[in-house]
Amino acid sequence: MTLRLTNTLTRRTEPFTPLRPGKASIYCCGVTVYDLCHLGHARSYINWDVLRRYLIWSGLEVRFVQNFTDIDDKILKRASDENSSMTAVSERNIDAFHADMDSLGILRPDSMPRATQCLDGIRALIGELEAKGAAYSAEGDVYFAVMKHAGYGKLSGRDLSEQQENAGGRVADAEGARKQHPFDFALWKAAKEGEPSFPSPWGAGRPGWHIECSAMVRAELGDTIDIHLGGADLVFPHHENEIAQSEAATGQELAQVWMHNGMVNVGGQKMSKSLGNFTTIRALLESGVSPMTLRLFVLQAHYRKPLDFTAEALEAAATGWKGLNAALGLGERHGQSLEWPATAALAPVASVGPSNHPSEPLEPLQQRFIDAMDDDLNSSGALAVLFDLAKPLRALANRLERGDRADRPADELAALALRWRLLRDLAAVLGLRCEADSETSGPGDDSTNQDEIQAAIDARIAAKSAKNYAEADRIRDELKAQGIELIDKPGGITEWIRR
């Protein structure tokens, strides 16, 4: 492979070489299921879905594991607030997670272990750490001794002497007296009155946050994996602690590549509930943003860079997607009249790799796509290739949508068919699929059908005949805001295209 990825651990962009030829093992940190997923989750899981799709398209057999944290202080608080149970809160939000991810076209992981279903592995791992002297118990709690792991801090680049106590807000101040070092972290927490608990050699309790991922990686993928994924906010303390406890137990490197996506800002500010700029995936989609518009918006920025969410940026993505979607839909909507191959006969993207024999004009475009993706998943560069492929297809789609004849030589139509197939296959690598008109509207904007467009054009012609030019201009501007551009031609004829 020629793929190069930025490794947080080494702070370099390096060639990716799987541990086992032809196979890749990936673990992605999942959600704590106490609430609906937000825009930050969408950004993270869309990016990692593209990584997975590209590896599959490149010919690798990928095993992708992503966890659910289904026991946590936030879940217990939500259950208490609702007079519900930990299980009820978790199950409801797991179902919501699947619905949101499915709507965004994110492939489901090969396995999605839950903390409460991995307790045997968690307890066994803690026992090994204790036996090696890397963990100790105190009043029913078990802590990892950070000073016993020489490499602690290698992922985040932090020095123990410079770190602050209670990093990440996961450790309560009351624990300080029980810990040997202020930065030691909990592997097992003693049961509190009224909270769910599970048996263990150290007494009833529940696992700490960090240990569950180490146990799941080990159980699902082995001691060392190819790639470990997460948001930049997980580098410290979560991923740092994962490395420490896993490598102290096994003596092996946990992951050869660590990848982290950048954070989401809203209007230049960090997205947070306290600032009132918190946006869930569900709310965005219910507002009229189409799933593929949101996906395109995310992929316009490099996965490692901050993503600034604004209404203007989202509207621009919606406009861009309408044009790309028109080109993608050309085969499905007009393939039969153009005598193109039936789309049902085409192989799914997971089994379609780079074509070894693309038509000569298309080969450079395919190579540009590969070069962009090989450059640390440069999704914006890959999108630029899709838009280049889409230009003539979109123009033809606009003609056909107006009811015009294709009016192209047979060899030119055959070349366009090959172009469309390549566009469709490369778009699928980015997880972009054709949406029906009803799905592609922007925020608060119902998709405009052909009858409505023609009615507006007729009203504009009538307004111009009555010399009501202000009304005619208003109709033109209103259609333009919906992505419809009017073209006035001699003889009083007005044509339109979707932008």
Side-chain angles (χ1 to χ4, degrees):
M1 294 186 69
T2 55
L3 174 63
R4 292 172 57 82
L5 300 172
T6 296
N7 188 349
T8 308
L9 184 63
T10 63
R11 295 158 184 77
R12 294 192 301 267
T13 302
E14 306 165 333
F16 173 62
T17 304
L19 293 166
R20 294 178 296 166
K23 298 184 178 182
S25 53
I26 302 176
Y27 183 86
C28 178
C29 278
V31 294
T32 300
V33 286
Y34 73 99
D35 205 348
L36 293 174
C37 289
H38 52 68
L39 184 58
H41 294 127
R43 199 268 169 98
S44 184
Y45 298 137
I46 286 172
N47 286 140
W48 304 142
D49 181 62
V50 168
L51 168 65
R52 181 186 181 189
R53 286 171 178 267
Y54 186 60
L55 291 175
I56 293 171
W57 188 73
S58 300
L60 293 184
E61 179 185 332
V62 178
R63 178 161 173 77
F64 191 98
V65 177
Q66 182 174 321
N67 73 303
F68 285 122
T69 296
D70 61 347
I71 179 167
D72 179 88
D73 290 340
K74 292 179 180 178
I75 299 173
L76 295 175
K77 183 179 186 307
R78 182 61 54 87
S80 176
D81 292 343
E82 297 177 354
N83 195 26
S84 181
S85 68
M86 177 186 76
T87 300
V89 170
S90 296
E91 290 298 331
R92 181 182 75 231
N93 287 300
I94 286 172
D95 290 343
F97 173 90
H98 285 308
D100 289 345
M101 298 301 120
D102 289 350
S103 69
L104 294 177
I106 293 172
L107 300 174
R108 291 203 178 189
D110 297 305
S111 179
M112 297 200 77
R114 306 182 188 187
T116 57
Q117 297 172 353
C118 300
L119 291 169
D120 287 344
I122 290 171
R123 286 183 289 240
L125 183 54
I126 295 173
E128 290 178 41
L129 290 170
E130 191 175 37
K132 291 175 179 289
Y136 59 92
S137 60
E139 301 177 22
D141 293 336
V142 183
Y143 296 99
F144 183 86
V146 294
M147 298 303 291
K148 298 292 182 68
H149 184 66
Y152 192 81
K154 66 181 180 179
L155 182 68
S156 62
R158 300 191 183 201
D159 188 295
L160 277 177
S161 63
E162 298 174 354
Q163 294 170 12
Q164 298 178 353
E165 294 186 31
N166 306 327
R170 293 277 177 172
V171 182
D173 291 338
E175 291 179 309
R178 296 193 296 275
K179 294 190 293 184
Q180 295 176 358
H181 189 282
F183 307 136
D184 292 350
F185 56 90
L187 302 173
W188 188 264
K189 299 180 179 182
K192 295 180 181 179
E193 186 176 352
E195 289 186 352
S197 62
F198 307 90
S200 83
W202 312 279
R206 56 186 173 93
W209 179 38
H210 314 296
I211 193 66
E212 66 181 75
C213 287
S214 288
M216 290 175 187
V217 168
R218 190 181 194 185
E220 296 280 348
L221 299 169
D223 290 343
T224 303
I225 65 174
D226 287 298
I227 304 173
H228 198 305
L229 305 171
D233 58 327
L234 297 181
V235 172
F236 185 86
H238 185 50
H239 287 168
E240 194 72 76
N241 291 351
E242 269 192 72
I243 289 173
Q245 61 203 7
S246 290
E247 297 185 0
T250 68
Q252 304 294 320
E253 184 179 43
L254 175 56
Q256 66 165 355
V257 179
W258 289 82
M259 297 177 67
H260 295 90
N261 64 271
M263 296 294 97
V264 173
N265 297 323
V266 178
Q269 290 184 305
K270 180 181 178 180
M271 187 179 71
S272 69
K273 289 184 177 180
S274 62
L275 293 175
N277 61 4
F278 185 83
T279 306
T280 66
I281 297 170
R282 188 70 51 87
L284 277 173
L285 298 182
E286 289 179 351
S287 75
V289 177
S290 83
M292 294 299 103
T293 292
L294 182 55
R295 193 167 183 119
L296 179 67
F297 169 71
V298 167
L299 294 177
Q300 286 175 331
H302 192 276
Y303 77 89
R304 289 190 292 110
K305 304 296 183 182
L307 177 65
D308 197 20
F309 179 81
T310 65
E312 294 77 15
L314 193 59
E315 287 173 6
T319 299
W321 171 243
K322 283 181 180 178
L324 188 57
N325 188 54
L328 283 169
L330 181 59
E332 280 85 351
R333 295 169 184 164
H334 304 287
Q336 186 172 1
S337 64
L338 295 170
E339 298 183 355
W340 286 3
T343 58
L346 299 177
V349 67
S351 61
V352 178
S355 173
N356 293 321
H357 304 287
S359 65
E360 188 173 343
L362 298 179
E363 188 173 0
L365 287 169
Q366 177 175 272
Q367 190 58 51
R368 273 180 54 202
F369 180 89
I370 293 171
D371 291 344
M373 293 298 289
D374 280 352
D375 183 18
D376 196 24
L377 303 181
N378 179 3
S379 56
S380 62
L383 283 173
V385 175
L386 299 192
F387 281 108
D388 283 350
L389 280 167
K391 286 177 183 176
L393 300 170
R394 177 179 149 193
L396 177 57
N398 282 325
R399 289 178 57 87
L400 295 173
E401 286 294 321
R402 294 196 303 266
D404 295 346
R405 295 166 58 92
D407 197 24
R408 302 283 180 90
D411 58 344
E412 187 176 337
L413 288 176
L416 287 172
L418 291 175
R419 192 179 191 95
W420 173 76
R421 289 188 61 167
L422 181 59
L423 171 66
R424 190 210 66 155
D425 291 343
L426 297 186
V429 176
L430 300 183
L432 294 168
R433 56 171 174 77
C434 180
E435 289 181 314
D437 285 345
S438 60
E439 297 179 273
T440 59
S441 57
D445 172 32
D446 293 326
S447 183
T448 308
N449 63 38
Q450 294 183 50
D451 291 339
E452 292 171 339
I453 294 168
Q454 191 57 54
I457 290 173
D458 292 343
R460 179 172 174 267
I461 291 172
K464 289 173 71 176
S465 297
K467 301 188 184 303
N468 187 353
Y469 299 113
E471 175 64 10
D473 290 344
R474 185 196 66 78
I475 294 172
R476 175 191 283 275
D477 291 343
E478 186 176 273
L479 288 172
K480 186 176 182 180
Q482 298 173 29
I484 307 300
E485 181 174 331
L486 302 183
I487 304 171
D488 292 325
K489 294 192 171 184
I493 297 172
T494 298
E495 295 183 350
W496 61 270
I497 59 174
R498 291 188 190 273
R499 287 297 187 190

